[in-house]
Amino acid sequence: MDLIFLVILLGVGYFVGSYLEKKHYQDIKKRERQTLHVPVVTFGAKQAIPHGNEAALFLGSVVVSADYFKMFASSLRNLVGGRVVVYESVLDRGRREAILRMKEQAISWGATQVVNVRLETSTVGSQSGGKGLAAIEVTAYGTGIR
Amino acid sequence: MASKYSDQANSRFGEIIITTLEGVPGKEIIEHFGLVQGSTIRAKHVGRDIMAGLKNLVGGELKGYTELLQEARKEAVERMLQQANFVGANAVVNVRFATSSVAQGAAELFAYGTAVKVQ
């Protein structure tokens, strides 16, 4: 009985999870193409910026979690160690989404570039007694210049 | 010259410029006031926790948490600006954010920067 329940959870996690992931990636790629004209750079603190420009802080954040299947797969992975491929895409999506949110805000303000961008990743309290990857927050922030 | 940290339009300190740079473009720093900081610790509420638990099954973004943390970060920035305003600064430069989870289900959001006067 428990086994059936587990298989159902795994199945739902796998199929719905990978469908949502595929859709999210399509969305990310589309928005990345749309915002390609505004460069996002991690330097800028020590560069001189042309006189008369305006600057403002922009921030994008997202909390992501892995699906049930990925948690299960990674707990198996834990036995032998090595690359946890299933989690890589979760964090990749989160990071790209956070950068996009920051960028889109900056663009609507009229920014021509976003400089001195910093990325931050943190765990925000785990559920189910700290087992598995619960919720990861990715933050991207930088200074928009127009 | 307006500074807009996403929702800063409705902040009480809308005229304070915030940047992650070491200065404000087009302006000169004439006075340093030192470090200003703001922090807040937030816990998730049960309703959101249950929803997030369900969402955990299929993965992806946990919208409730994203909103919660955005609100909290706004609060942290607001407190930082309050300090900056108190010392008489009109800009906060080299701003950094940090997040740490301090207890089960609670996270600290922290913002710090250097308060300066620019001209």
Side-chain angles (χ1 to χ4, degrees):
Chain A
M1 189 58 208
D2 271 1
L3 198 68
I4 295 168
F5 197 56
L6 180 73
V7 168
I8 290 172
L9 281 181
L10 280 179
V12 169
Y14 180 72
F15 288 109
V16 181
S18 41
Y19 171 72
L20 289 177
E21 180 165 284
K22 222 175 101 190
K23 250 179 62 179
H24 192 201
Y25 262 127
Q26 278 172 1
D27 184 50
I28 286 176
K29 280 177 188 152
K30 200 183 97 202
R31 284 156 65 202
E32 273 179 350
R33 242 175 279 125
Q34 280 169 354
T35 56
L36 209 59
H37 61 284
V38 175
V40 169
V41 292
T42 56
F43 59 81
K46 303 209 163 58
Q47 254 77 11
I49 285 150
H51 189 80
N53 280 357
E54 279 181 62
L57 181 75
F58 291 99
L59 200 146
S61 75
V62 61
V63 180
V64 287
S65 81
D67 58 53
Y68 199 81
F69 173 77
K70 287 184 176 189
M71 284 181 208
F72 187 75
S74 86
S75 64
L76 289 182
R77 192 27 128 184
N78 256 335
L79 294 177
V80 292
R83 241 179 101 180
V84 189
V85 182
V86 285
Y87 279 178
E88 285 175 355
S89 69
V90 175
L91 285 170
D92 176 56
R93 273 160 69 198
R95 211 157 275 139
R96 282 161 83 172
E97 177 74 33
I99 294 173
L100 276 171
R101 285 186 185 174
M102 174 193 70
K103 230 175 150 182
E104 279 163 356
Q105 269 181 37
I107 288 171
S108 67
W109 174 74
T112 52
Q113 55 176 331
V114 185
V115 297
N116 212 4
V117 172
R118 294 287 178 269
L119 286 165
E120 194 94 29
T121 315
S122 56
T123 317
V124 289
S126 52
Q127 285 136 349
S128 56
K131 152 174 153 283
L133 169 139
I136 300 285
E137 195 205 19
V138 186
T139 318
Y141 58 99
T143 305
I145 305 282
R146 72 174 173 194
Chain B
M1 189 150 121
S3 148
K4 282 193 190 57
Y5 154 70
S6 48
D7 309 280
Q8 217 196 341
N10 44 34
S11 160
R12 281 178 296 148
F13 309 106
E15 73 285 355
I16 296 181
I17 303 161
I18 318 171
T19 72
T20 59
L21 303 171
E22 281 171 14
V24 178
K27 294 194 174 208
E28 217 180 307
I29 295 173
I30 52 169
E31 202 176 343
H32 270 100
F33 296 106
L35 188 74
V36 286
Q37 48 177 297
S39 82
T40 174
I41 300 182
R42 291 284 169 107
K44 312 168 286 199
H45 74 71
V46 180
R48 271 177 170 159
D49 224 12
I50 292 167
M51 283 309 290
L54 288 177
K55 193 73 209 283
N56 239 339
L57 192 62
V58 293
E61 186 186 351
L62 307 175
K63 284 220 173 64
Y65 285 1
T66 305
E67 273 164 35
L68 183 81
L69 290 176
Q70 266 166 2
E71 260 168 50
R73 195 165 286 115
K74 222 164 80 182
E75 174 77 34
V77 171
E78 192 73 15
R79 287 185 186 172
M80 180 182 74
L81 290 179
Q82 206 176 334
Q83 267 192 24
N85 191 52
F86 180 73
V87 295
N90 63 359
V92 183
V93 296
N94 219 352
V95 171
R96 294 289 179 270
F97 290 100
T99 317
S100 48
S101 86
V102 288
Q104 182 88 5
E108 190 202 19
L109 287 292
F110 183 51
Y112 59 100
T114 306
V116 292
K117 184 168 249 174
V118 293
Q119 204 173 43

